[in-house]
Amino acid sequence: LGLMEDTDISELTQDLLRLSLDHQRCIPCVRALIGIWDETERVVRVAWSKTSKYLQTCGSVTRGVPLLQLYEAAFLVDIGSLELHCGNLPLSVQQVYNLLEANNDLFSLA
């Protein structure tokens, strides 16, 4: 058995590291819906959607645009079916719930 030189081991280690770093570790999640929070109307406008069973049972359609109430959007974000944007930025689940809490006058639990 021939022994590998230190330079060979170093090059092999670098190659393995390069392969490891080049490998895609996170697979992008393709959401069924993309919604945009409309601050003035205080609704979520569905900007893009695949055929979604959720739009058949929740929300409404105004002038051909599907609209969701904020609590409906929060549910869909929570289950991973909606990516909600405010401005040009997507919101995290926590940010959506903060937005829901800040706009709690939109719905009543009574």
Side-chain angles (χ1 to χ4, degrees):
L1 293 177
L3 295 174
M4 294 181 77
E5 303 227 358
D6 285 343
T7 56
D8 293 338
I9 293 173
S10 177
E11 287 175 13
L12 181 61
T13 303
Q14 288 177 359
D15 288 343
L16 288 173
L17 181 60
R18 191 175 304 109
L19 284 173
S20 174
L21 293 175
D22 286 344
H23 178 69
Q24 184 179 7
R25 289 176 295 282
C26 295
I27 298 171
C29 180
V30 177
R31 306 241 190 261
L33 302 169
I34 294 180
I36 299 171
W37 169 243
D38 185 335
E39 189 85 34
T40 56
E41 296 290 323
R42 297 173 72 184
V43 294
V44 174
R45 296 183 187 284
V46 178
W48 178 85
S49 71
K50 291 182 179 179
T51 49
S52 173
K53 63 181 179 181
Y54 298 110
L55 289 181
Q56 297 171 4
T57 57
C58 64
S60 61
V61 177
T62 303
R63 287 179 251 128
V65 178
L67 302 175
L68 296 170
Q69 295 297 317
L70 189 53
Y71 67 91
E72 294 170 319
F75 168 74
L76 293 174
V77 168
D78 197 40
I79 64 171
S81 293
L82 173 73
E83 183 175 292
L84 183 58
H85 291 248
C86 187
N88 292 329
L89 299 173
L91 300 177
S92 69
V93 174
Q94 184 61 49
Q95 290 170 321
V96 171
Y97 279 104
N98 289 344
L99 185 63
L100 184 62
E101 188 175 329
N103 290 279
N104 65 359
D105 60 317
L106 292 175
F107 59 95
S108 172
L109 297 176

